[in-house]
Amino acid sequence: MKSQISQEHLILSRSCFINSFKIILVVLIALPLMLFIRCKTNKTLTTETTAPAFRGWAPTPPMGWNSWDCYGPTVAEDEVKANAEYMAMHLKKFGWEYIVVDIRWYVANDKSGGYNEKDPVYNIDAYGRFLPAVNRFPSSVNGNGFKSLGDFIHSKGLKFGIHMMRGIPVLAVKNNTPILGSDAKAQDIYTTEGQCPWLKDMYTIVAGKPGAQEYYNSIFKLYASWGLDFVKVDDLSGRTDEIEMVRKAIDNCGRPIVISISPGGDRPETADFLKNNVNMWRTSNDFWDNWPALKNQFAILKSWAGLGVKGCYPDGDMLPLGKIGLRAERGKPRMTGFAKDEQYTLMTLFAVFRSPLMFGGDLPGNDEFTLSLITNKDVLNVNQNSINGKQLFRENDLIAWTADDPKTGDKYLALFNASDRQLFVDNKAALKSEQITPDTASISVKFEQIGLTGTHTIRNLWTGENLGNFTDSFTRTINRHGAGLYRIH
């Protein structure tokens, strides 16, 4: 009997030991897994919750109109309203929404073909802040600023933006105006070092000086009272101290104001800083309507590909399309100098790169072709919603870019023929013959280059034409200086 009890006790002990071992084993396996999952979850939550709030103010690349390419520093209120009305009627349904008044809206007597720096008549308030010139913007009378113009633009279902120069006005320093919200005055916060080399309206603000941040705060409190939605801050690229002051001022003003900085000057290695401070940053100096400038964009944008995130975008600059140069800082009144093929190239490259789209021409002067360029839903969808845009290859001047549709997994393919017209002389021939490079070129892409196999249906996004089924590769003939944009399903 005693032996039987001992045997049962032994069996029970063994069973308990085995069960305990199993429990310990499960815990040892599960605990690290749970910690790993929690760590990843916390990391995701941390990333989502600590991302700067301002990134949510521009969930897709901003699309709008800017007065610079057609009116330079001379645009007037009736012209701004005319462009807003056109956008509301013809473009809003395609995603266009910003109306931006560019440089020197505070000068009463500016000029085309440059800037009036000889005898500018400024409009400035008692706190050293520029106000709109009343002769150009009549609704700004009695210190109303841009409030009425902003209200008009908002009434059209659009958003309102302005241009500003970084720093504090030279005139404010000369008058030693008080700074709203501070005991300091203008002469306490400025330096002549680093003054903008191409426009002498402003002095640099010295970060850390009592009153420096307060001055920027006062600027954006004023702009917020006007109902501002977008600000383009010029001569700010590379100026990290002032970028951070502007960022703080916008965050403290009580209104979500999308910020674009210019001109070019930042480098790809500064992308992390930029993504923590601004929504858009220029990748080049002013971009105008000539082929060499457009061809140069391929190399510039390639270097920035993949460095933006949702809410923060490298900016290829404005679209000098349509009717430009009416009273511009550069050039005479004209329809864009880009040939039609070059206009397709510009829109295709900016779409697959996902640059913000700021139209530079006078919208009421658009012809049907220009309107078709900026109202193609499929092309604009690539700009607004694609991911992973990058250069696939460049063989001499035959170039391919790709991007992905995150919803369907489809691929976008952009083909460019950036070849220039060249004259070749065959010196070996018995009789010298001259040959000109052809006006077209065939560009081929193997599906394996873009991670695909088998047979796929392809559609031309510019024409809407279904091109049929293709197996293993796709070849298209592209005009010189032209482009094609395709969806591969």
Side-chain angles (χ1 to χ4, degrees), residues 73-77 103-108 110 133-138:
T74 70
V75 71
E77 184 167 0
I103 198 165
R104 279 193 136 194
W105 38 264
Y106 45 82
V107 175
D110 222 319
V134 176
N135 63 320
R136 292 168 53 194
F137 298 94

Side-chain angles (χ1 to χ4, degrees), residues 1-15:
M1 183 71 178
K2 185 178 180 181
S3 175
Q4 184 178 352
I5 293 172
S6 297
Q7 188 173 1
E8 290 177 356
H9 184 269
L10 180 62
I11 292 170
L12 182 61
S13 298
R14 285 177 179 174
S15 176

Side-chain angles (χ1 to χ4, degrees), residues 104 107 109-111 114-122 199-201:
R104 279 193 136 194
V107 175
N109 60 339
D110 222 319
K111 65 186 184 68
Y115 302 103
N116 177 12
E117 294 194 81
K118 181 181 178 181
D119 58 351
V121 176
Y122 297 111
L199 185 61
K200 307 295 185 181
D201 287 348

Side-chain angles (χ1 to χ4, degrees), residues 406-453:
K407 291 184 177 180
T408 65
D410 288 357
K411 296 283 185 178
Y412 296 114
L413 176 65
L415 302 178
F416 304 94
N417 178 359
S419 302
D420 293 318
R421 196 175 184 88
Q422 295 178 349
L423 191 66
F424 294 97
V425 178
D426 186 357
N427 291 315
K428 294 181 180 179
L431 295 174
K432 289 186 177 181
S433 62
E434 296 181 346
Q435 295 180 337
I436 297 176
T437 53
D439 285 335
T440 62
S442 291
I443 305 177
S444 295
V445 174
K446 295 180 179 179
F447 287 163
E448 64 184 22
Q449 291 177 278
I450 53 178
L452 299 176
T453 58

Side-chain angles (χ1 to χ4, degrees), residues 57 154 223-229 250-257:
W57 304 345
H154 292 150
Y223 294 169
S225 74
W226 294 344
L228 199 69
D229 305 297
I250 293 175
D251 290 342
N252 291 330
C253 79
R255 185 174 179 84
I257 300 175

Side-chain angles (χ1 to χ4, degrees), residues 129-341:
R129 302 174 298 182
F130 283 134
L131 299 174
V134 176
N135 63 320
R136 292 168 53 194
F137 298 94
S139 69
S140 68
V141 69
N142 298 324
N144 191 43
F146 276 129
K147 180 69 169 63
S148 294
L149 181 57
D151 288 347
F152 174 84
I153 291 169
H154 292 150
S155 74
K156 300 295 180 180
L158 304 173
K159 296 181 179 179
F160 177 48
I162 62 172
H163 172 287
M164 64 173 277
M165 298 295 296
R166 69 169 178 92
I168 187 167
V170 171
L171 183 59
V173 172
K174 180 181 178 181
N175 295 339
N176 200 23
T177 55
I179 295 171
L180 190 64
S182 172
D183 293 331
K185 292 189 175 183
Q187 291 179 9
D188 299 322
I189 67 170
Y190 89 104
T191 177
T192 58
E193 294 180 8
Q195 186 180 31
C196 177
W198 46 266
L199 185 61
K200 307 295 185 181
D201 287 348
M202 317 293 282
Y203 285 137
T204 299
I205 292 178
V206 182
K209 289 272 191 178
Q213 184 63 54
E214 288 81 1
Y215 179 76
Y216 271 122
N217 291 347
S218 75
I219 289 287
F220 282 96
K221 285 288 186 183
L222 179 65
Y223 294 169
S225 74
W226 294 344
L228 199 69
D229 305 297
F230 181 100
V231 65
K232 173 183 174 182
V233 189
D234 217 332
D235 195 41
L236 192 61
S237 296
R239 310 276 185 175
T240 56
D241 288 345
E242 286 195 81
I243 289 173
E244 289 176 336
M245 285 192 283
V246 171
R247 174 77 269 146
K248 289 177 184 176
I250 293 175
D251 290 342
N252 291 330
C253 79
R255 185 174 179 84
I257 300 175
V258 170
I259 176 176
S260 164
I261 68 170
S262 64
D266 291 298
R267 303 173 305 282
E269 54 265 34
T270 65
D272 287 342
F273 171 80
L274 294 169
K275 287 184 285 191
N276 283 318
N277 288 280
V278 300
N279 298 103
M280 297 165 46
W281 58 91
R282 280 268 294 280
T283 58
S284 70
N285 289 324
D286 285 4
F287 170 57
W288 283 99
D289 53 326
N290 62 84
W291 172 250
L294 176 52
K295 188 172 182 178
N296 193 42
Q297 289 279 11
F298 285 99
I300 294 172
L301 299 186
K302 176 180 178 291
S303 70
W304 283 100
L307 295 181
V309 295
K310 185 176 182 179
C312 305
Y313 310 98
D315 174 20
D317 197 17
M318 290 171 53
L319 300 170
L321 299 174
K323 192 174 184 180
I324 61 176
L326 301 184
R327 296 191 308 276
E329 180 262 350
R330 194 174 309 179
K332 301 295 183 182
R334 63 196 182 278
M335 293 300 287
T336 181
F338 287 130
K340 285 187 176 181
D341 278 321

